[in-house]
Structures are given as C-alpha cells and as structure tokens.
Amino acid sequence: MPFEADLADALDRTTNSLEPDLPALLSGAVQRGRSRRRRRSAGVIAGAGACAVIAGAAALVFPGALAGSRPAGSDMETVALAVPRSAITGDQMIQALEQTLPGGRFSQVTGQSNNPSDPHGGYVANGGLVVDDGHGASFVGVSAVRLKLPLKDGDGLSCERTPARAAGDTCTLSELPSSAAIPGGAVVMSEQDAAEQPARADTARRWTVTVTLKSTGAQLQLVQWNSTGGGSGSDTPKPTRAAPPLSEQQVVAALTGAVWAPILGAVG
C-alpha cells in the first residue's frame, strides 16, 4: 500500500516529538515513531490505497511520512512540533499539488486535513497522487507541518544520520536567503535514496525535498518516486521512469512560490 510506507516517516517525525501535555497523541503511533528520528524526510505519503491508514494515523498525531525503523541503540533526536496557526484541508493540499504538476493526468488522489484545535486530528496536513506527465507514472506526496522555534538539528534540518546512508543514497543541505516570499530565509534539504539495498537497475528511487522557514518553523516536504508508489524493499513498485517529474530546483521554486504561500502561512 503505497501511501502507508512513506507516511510512516511523517508519523515518526510527529510522534517522536510529542510533548508531555499531549498524552493522547502517544497512543499507538509512538511505538512506530520512537524507533527512529525518521527516515530523513521521506516526507510524506507513499501511495494511494492507504486513506484509512492515514486517517487513523493522523487522528493519533500524524511528514514526514515515509518508511522503516531505526535499530535499537541508534542515536535519536526528537523534533518538536508546534500547533499550526490555522486549519488546512486535504483538498487544499491536493489542489496545490496538482497546480505544482501542471499538464499531468492524476489518479489515486488522497489528502488529509490537519486540525489545530484538536490534537487528535493531527498537526500535519498531507496530500498524494500518482501523476502521469507522458514520461511514466510517478507517485508524488507532500506534507505541511510546523516545527517549534528555535529550530534544532532534526527532521529536515541535517543530513547526519545513524546508521550511515547506504551507498548511492545522497543528501545535501543548503539555505535560501531572506526575501519577500520567505522572510528570514529557509533551510533546504534534498535527498535521494533507493527502495532497497543493494540497489539494482530495477530498484525504485525516491527524491525528497524539505523546505523549512527559519522565521516561523513552517515546513513543506515533497516526495517523488520514479514508480507508482512508495515503500521499502521488494514491495515497492518497479520504476516507470528514470527521473522524477520535477527537478530539485523546480520543487524548491514551487514550494516557496505563490501556490504554496497560503499553506505555508496557515502552517506557520
């Protein structure tokens, strides 16, 4: 089930950082979340057949969304989440995602709202779909969350990881200067990793870009697969294309542009 695998990381990011005054959020999701800081911004969802999983998981807490668990004994830094400033609907996330991928044909569309007034409703909004732009179908998912200030080394803010990344997996960190669109600037983390190791020619890959505003903690994370769904290992659908629909530069421009500005404002 695509959506479920990548959503796991988003759950991890949230559950890892639940505060003592939100004990209700710990139920269920904590068991998965505490096993690791997260699979580094896998950021979102991984496919379409898991609406029920998303709804249930988000009801507990809810990017970071994406797959696997950290081995016992590995270092783990929790990432504190802040309450979003206003509600974002799943439809808003879907519409923004579709506008980010113009000209494509969409299927397996799913979305999840956040609910700032009720922790049980989740603090993360997300959307996902399969897009076919004529170069092969690709699953694309996005999540929106707000980190607590001051920002610390954690989800979407550092490429350091324990255990070390597998051969061929990459992570780069950069910063965007302050501007009218992003007052105070932003941290950008870009990752690429294979669904299984050792990777083969027919192994699906995932591209993740995480943009975090330094002034508010608002964070958007967009995940693209070169297959029709996310996952881990042999359960992941085989590649349908060589590269994702959008380049890293296109993703950053989109997430800091007019389409996503209302969502960044609502989150942060």
Side-chain angles (χ1 to χ4, degrees):
M1 303 257 275
F3 215 28
E4 178 178 356
D6 276 343
L7 178 61
D9 275 334
L11 287 169
D12 292 346
R13 173 167 66 188
T14 306
T15 55
N16 282 346
S17 58
L18 295 174
E19 297 181 288
D21 62 334
L22 297 177
L25 301 186
L26 294 174
S27 175
V30 141
Q31 295 178 357
R32 180 185 295 177
R34 288 196 182 284
S35 62
R36 69 171 177 195
R37 182 196 314 176
R38 119 183 222 233
R39 182 114 160 76
R40 261 320 35 90
S41 290
V44 204
I45 12 241
C51 293
V53 174
I54 293 169
L60 291 174
V61 265
F62 183 16
L66 320 190
S69 62
R70 293 173 67 84
S74 62
D75 72 346
M76 180 175 69
E77 296 177 17
T78 60
V79 180
L81 295 185
V83 179
R85 296 193 185 280
S86 60
I88 302 170
T89 68
D91 286 344
Q92 285 178 281
M93 297 295 288
I94 293 167
Q95 290 169 8
L97 189 54
E98 290 179 344
Q99 291 179 55
T100 304
L101 300 160
R105 292 179 298 167
F106 306 119
S107 61
Q108 302 182 45
V109 179
T110 54
Q112 177 66 44
S113 305
N114 65 9
N115 188 347
S117 64
D118 180 8
H120 291 77
Y123 285 168
V124 180
N126 62 74
L129 50 77
V130 172
V131 57
D132 191 338
D133 58 2
H135 301 285
S138 168
F139 175 79
V140 182
V142 65
S143 67
V145 70
R146 181 183 174 207
L147 305 186
K148 281 196 171 182
L149 298 177
L151 296 176
K152 298 179 180 179
D153 179 13
D155 192 17
L157 300 170
S158 171
C159 283
E160 295 182 7
R161 200 174 92 182
T162 302
R165 294 176 184 277
D169 291 355
T170 63
C171 179
T172 59
L173 207 63
S174 61
E175 293 196 15
L176 299 177
S178 178
S179 67
I182 45 173
V187 177
V188 177
M189 188 168 77
S190 180
E191 305 167 272
Q192 180 186 156
D193 55 277
E196 60 181 332
Q197 295 292 343
R200 305 186 304 268
D202 64 346
T203 297
R205 300 195 71 85
R206 172 178 59 195
W207 289 259
T208 304
V209 175
T210 307
V211 175
T212 309
L213 301 193
K214 293 191 286 186
S215 61
T216 65
Q219 184 180 84
L220 293 176
Q221 185 176 83
L222 190 140
V223 176
Q224 303 178 90
W225 285 87
N226 64 340
S227 69
T228 56
S232 179
S234 59
D235 292 337
T236 307
K238 295 303 180 184
T240 53
R241 54 193 297 154
L246 301 174
S247 67
E248 176 187 353
Q249 293 74 19
Q250 289 174 315
V251 173
V252 173
L255 296 183
T256 57
V259 170
W260 289 96
I263 292 174
L264 279 174
V267 172

